[in-house]
Amino acid sequence: MNPSRYYQLHQNLIKKAIEELYYEELLRVKVTEDGSYKLDINNSISYRFKAISGPWDNIHITSDCMQKLIDDKEVSNFTIGDFFYEIQEVCQMDDETLVRYLEESNQTLYSDSIVDENLKDLNFKELLKKNYTSIDQLLPGHPKLIMNKGRIGWSLTDIDNYSPERRARFKLRWIAVRKTICQIGIDQKIAQNYLDRDGRQLNEKIDNNQYQLMSVHPWQWNNYIATQFLEEIMRKDIIDFGEGSINYSPQASLRTLSNRDARERHSYDTKVSLSILNTSCVRGIPGKYIREGYKISRRLEELIQADELLCHQLDILKEVAAVKVSKPSFERAELGSYRYKELLGCVWRESVEAKTSEAEMAIPVAGLLLENEDSSFVKELIINSELGAEQWLKDYTRVVILSLYRLQVEHGLGLVAHGQNTILVMENSRPSRLIIKDFHGDLRISTNSKHLDDESFNILDRLPEEYLIHDLLTGHFITVLRYLSRIMNFNGLLSEEHFYKIIANEIMQYHLEWGEPQNNVNLLRDRIEKVLVNRVRFSAGYSETSTRLKPLLGREIENPLKKYLEVRI
């Protein structure tokens, strides 16, 4: 990597940090006389850049070039490490948190260099021919989190061998686990059909009354399972069959893997424990949803099929089987890190390929944010659809936003719709339906849902409806649409005002047809609260507790959906 590109990657990450920490109320900027923006760190250090104000009390930095000044003299090269050291006091980070955060930043930058190379010369017209996994592997990471590819625990070799940006392919390890030491939840309607070819062959060799087959990520086996479960292996409570023969490839979430064998029908993806710290948590498999997960999926599908609107435009990837192995010496330490209680788990989920036809194209909703200096994916989709930007966005709103909204207001069910667990299905590049996935933690229920007494939903986290609506407001509008509206504006497709007016009008039409919900779940209410995710790490640090980190609430802001609904454009 040449020095110019290296420091540009640092600038890009600093720009993202300024945008996000401005939104999260930690940083304040000034507009200078020439219309540019200035961030004063102290009396001697400042950053200057071009930006525009966004509709969510946010800013979009528009220029590739950013200046850093020390005592009014421009600094030629500067890094993300410099930046966070300078704002450490503002972020209220102690030194231990700072150095761990900088470790995450350096890991993120390395992977950013690979992602940048993948996107730099990408022809988005060619992307129209790619399958779901190929597009998912291009995603640059969680849009809202600054250090979105920290992956603490992975070496450069691990990134090369197992990361989505490297389009890695590798073989899973197969083990049989004695049923007395594990939790199991399997939809008996599908028997053993969730297993791949390797699994089906091995299943014929074991005593199915005593043992359950499961897959293990090769990194997890080498770094945790072979040592931490040595006693179980010695006692034959775990039987190791070694690596299988089928290649798997990681999706953007790292631990969800797609079967890439040409001879398989690819009906099921495999989600496995991967005990690295990435974004907000260590990526293990919790035990909470193992036994009931397939029941949640089955019941959710029934509700959707019985709903007169959702049955036409919403589908799910059902979780059909799950296994988690317990380690009593870890489990009984109640206040110990959750990492050690989630070391060995596996979930099988329906694949996108199994739920779409050859005439359809499916992409992660976050794929709409793919862009480079020349163009963007959403622009190419709109051109190919022959609809025009306004009609395309109307269709997107009806299919994606209103489906998620109806789940909330009609059923009291919320999915944290961050763009990787929501899948846009299109015909001729036109939005036609939505598929949702990942119900082991991302699906919650409101405390006044009409389905509260449904046994299948007993283990879902329960939230007041005014908090649950943030699964859509923050999960989708702030985490996805805030960036999509910027891209469409920069590409000359729609102004941000027009973008949100179109969405607001479609929501209003939904209210007229189906009834307006009460104010605390109404997307057109006057004001909304911010939810802050990056600040949590600064205050909580890196000490692992028995539970995952929770976001913070910020101040209320004017709702742009309500604001632009009443504006003539």
Side-chain angles (χ1 to χ4, degrees):
M1 187 189 305
N2 65 58
S4 175
R5 183 160 171 262
Y6 173 78
Y7 287 112
Q8 185 59 54
L9 289 169
H10 276 270
Q11 279 199 38
N12 293 343
L13 196 52
I14 291 169
K15 286 190 289 186
K16 179 173 183 176
I18 292 173
E19 288 183 345
E20 296 307 320
L21 298 183
Y22 176 89
Y23 175 78
E24 296 198 11
E25 305 166 8
L26 277 176
L27 300 180
R28 281 290 162 254
V29 298
K30 301 174 183 176
V31 181
T32 63
E33 291 180 0
D34 64 1
S36 62
Y37 281 65
K38 181 182 180 184
L39 170 65
D40 289 324
I41 303 297
N42 52 41
N43 291 334
S44 60
I45 302 173
S46 64
Y47 291 81
R48 297 194 180 197
F49 46 87
K50 292 191 179 299
I52 59 173
S53 295
W56 299 97
D57 189 37
N58 64 304
I59 57 171
H60 301 308
I61 297 178
T62 58
S63 56
D64 287 333
C65 184
M66 170 182 286
Q67 288 181 307
K68 179 180 180 179
L69 302 174
I70 300 180
D71 295 326
D72 294 325
K73 294 180 181 178
E74 186 172 354
V75 178
S76 55
N77 296 318
F78 47 95
T79 68
I80 191 73
D82 297 333
F83 178 76
F84 272 101
Y85 176 74
E86 292 156 1
I87 65 168
Q88 178 184 2
E89 187 175 340
V90 174
C91 295
Q92 297 182 319
M93 277 193 280
D94 59 35
D95 284 356
E96 178 62 22
T97 300
L98 175 63
V99 294
R100 295 288 299 276
Y101 198 69
L102 296 184
E103 181 185 7
E104 274 202 272
S105 75
N106 291 325
Q107 292 271 109
T108 295
L109 281 165
Y110 180 81
S111 292
D112 276 347
S113 70
I114 304 169
V115 171
D116 184 64
E117 194 64 32
N118 291 341
L119 293 176
K120 184 175 63 174
D121 299 317
L122 185 64
N123 183 335
F124 289 109
K125 189 173 289 187
E126 291 298 312
L127 212 54
L128 298 174
K129 305 171 187 175
K130 299 293 185 181
N131 62 29
Y132 173 84
T133 301
S134 297
I135 296 170
D136 186 78
Q137 290 178 332
L138 289 169
L139 299 182
H142 194 295
K144 199 170 184 292
L145 287 164
I146 300 166
M147 304 310 170
N148 59 16
K149 292 180 287 297
R151 301 167 185 175
I152 301 301
W154 268 7
S155 66
L156 298 190
T157 301
D158 296 327
I159 292 171
D160 288 343
N161 288 342
Y162 304 124
S163 72
E165 62 268 17
R166 285 297 195 201
R167 304 179 184 91
R169 294 197 176 199
F170 52 88
K171 296 172 175 61
L172 293 175
R173 202 170 193 97
W174 281 97
I175 62 174
V177 182
R178 199 180 298 276
K179 291 184 176 180
T180 55
I181 68 166
C182 61
Q183 299 168 257
I184 302 170
I186 298 175
D187 190 342
Q188 296 303 317
K189 291 182 178 179
I190 65 164
Q192 302 298 317
N193 294 332
Y194 61 91
L195 298 172
D196 67 11
R197 187 177 65 252
D198 290 338
R200 292 192 298 272
Q201 291 172 357
L202 288 172
N203 205 48
E204 296 175 358
K205 300 178 181 180
I206 66 171
D207 181 348
N208 285 276
N209 292 320
Q210 291 195 55
Y211 286 95
Q212 170 64 45
L213 276 176
M214 66 183 295
S215 298
V216 184
H217 195 290
W219 186 92
Q220 190 75 355
W221 175 266
N222 290 330
N223 287 272
Y224 281 98
I225 308 308
T227 53
Q228 301 302 319
F229 287 85
L230 183 59
E231 182 182 4
E232 289 81 359
I233 295 168
M234 178 190 68
R235 293 199 317 243
K236 301 296 183 185
D237 287 339
I238 293 177
I239 301 173
D240 173 30
F241 292 108
E243 286 188 345
S245 64
I246 293 173
N247 279 320
Y248 280 80
S249 196
Q251 296 179 12
S253 64
L254 305 182
R255 57 183 171 163
T256 299
L257 310 170
S258 298
N259 185 326
R260 295 293 93 192
D261 192 289
R263 292 170 291 176
E264 294 270 26
R265 188 172 172 269
H266 312 322
S267 295
Y268 300 98
D269 292 332
T270 305
K271 182 177 180 179
V272 289
S273 292
L274 190 60
S275 298
I276 60 173
L277 176 65
N278 193 48
T279 62
S280 59
C281 65
V282 177
R283 298 294 163 176
I285 301 288
K288 179 177 179 179
Y289 302 95
I290 295 297
R291 289 194 174 97
E292 307 297 323
Y294 75 91
K295 297 177 184 177
I296 296 171
S297 292
R298 189 194 294 169
R299 181 62 181 134
L300 181 59
E301 184 177 59
E302 291 171 354
L303 291 182
I304 290 169
Q305 291 174 348
D307 187 291
E308 55 185 312
L309 175 64
L310 296 180
C311 66
H312 301 294
Q313 61 190 52
L314 182 63
D315 203 347
I316 71 170
L317 301 184
K318 294 196 296 294
E319 286 153 355
V320 297
V323 184
K324 179 192 173 287
V325 183
S326 299
K327 180 78 174 175
S329 55
F330 290 147
E331 300 281 344
R332 62 192 175 212
E334 292 183 8
L335 300 180
S337 167
Y338 63 88
R339 171 194 295 264
Y340 299 103
K341 300 166 188 177
E342 303 177 1
L343 289 175
L344 186 50
C346 184
V347 179
W348 287 270
R349 178 198 294 141
E350 290 178 314
S351 68
V352 173
E353 290 92 340
K355 303 301 283 277
T356 51
S357 70
E358 290 186 4
E360 294 177 314
M361 178 186 188
I363 67 167
V365 166
L368 297 173
L369 308 182
L370 292 172
E371 60 178 332
N372 57 26
E373 291 181 3
D374 299 322
S375 189
S376 67
F377 190 28
V378 68
K379 181 177 182 179
E380 194 58 51
L381 286 168
I382 290 170
I383 292 171
N384 195 61
S385 73
E386 300 180 344
L387 287 177
E390 183 170 340
Q391 185 59 49
W392 193 94
L393 183 59
K394 286 181 179 179
D395 290 353
Y396 176 91
T397 302
R398 292 172 191 146
V399 166
V400 178
I401 299 172
L402 293 184
S403 293
L404 296 168
Y405 192 35
R406 185 167 180 85
L407 267 183
Q408 288 252 358
V409 299
E410 181 64 24
H411 299 284
L413 293 168
L415 182 77
V416 187
H418 50 62
Q420 291 182 9
N421 59 2
T422 44
I423 298 156
L424 177 62
V425 181
M426 295 171 284
E427 294 183 36
N428 299 316
S429 299
R430 302 174 179 185
S432 58
R433 60 194 180 99
L434 174 68
I435 299 176
I436 57 177
K437 65 172 183 174
D438 207 356
F439 311 128
H440 281 223
D442 277 357
L443 185 70
R444 288 98 72 85
I445 191 168
S446 77
T447 50
N448 60 350
S449 168
K450 63 184 179 183
H451 305 297
L452 267 184
D453 295 330
D454 196 312
E455 288 186 5
S456 299
F457 296 146
N458 277 348
I459 62 169
L460 294 181
D461 287 341
R462 300 184 176 196
L463 294 175
E465 59 184 3
E466 62 268 25
Y467 293 154
L468 192 70
I469 193 65
H470 277 285
D471 287 357
L472 178 53
L473 264 176
T474 299
H476 197 69
F477 279 86
I478 301 300
T479 307
V480 178
L481 298 184
R482 176 162 58 115
Y483 307 98
L484 183 60
S485 63
R486 181 206 68 195
I487 290 170
M488 293 183 75
N489 182 31
F490 287 178
N491 282 200
L493 298 168
L494 290 170
S495 69
E496 291 201 273
E497 293 86 351
H498 198 179
F499 181 95
Y500 290 108
K501 183 175 178 63
I502 289 168
I503 293 174
N505 279 332
E506 293 302 315
I507 294 169
M508 177 62 76
Q509 289 303 311
Y510 174 86
H511 288 172
L512 292 174
E513 184 174 357
W514 300 96
E516 186 171 3
Q518 57 187 3
N519 190 59
N520 54 4
V521 292
N522 190 335
L523 286 180
L524 298 182
R525 67 179 191 258
D526 292 333
R527 302 184 68 79
I528 61 170
E529 313 85 4
K530 287 184 178 181
V531 173
L532 318 176
V533 295
N534 288 287
R535 293 179 62 161
V536 179
R537 180 64 70 196
F538 304 156
S539 57
Y542 285 83
S543 176
E544 291 177 16
T545 64
S546 58
T547 58
R548 286 170 163 79
L549 299 179
K550 302 292 185 184
L552 303 171
L553 267 184
R555 63 184 178 83
E556 285 190 347
I557 60 171
E558 185 178 14
N559 182 2
L561 294 171
K562 179 64 178 295
K563 174 183 177 180
Y564 295 131
L565 180 66
E566 299 165 355
V567 172
R568 287 191 176 186
I569 295 176

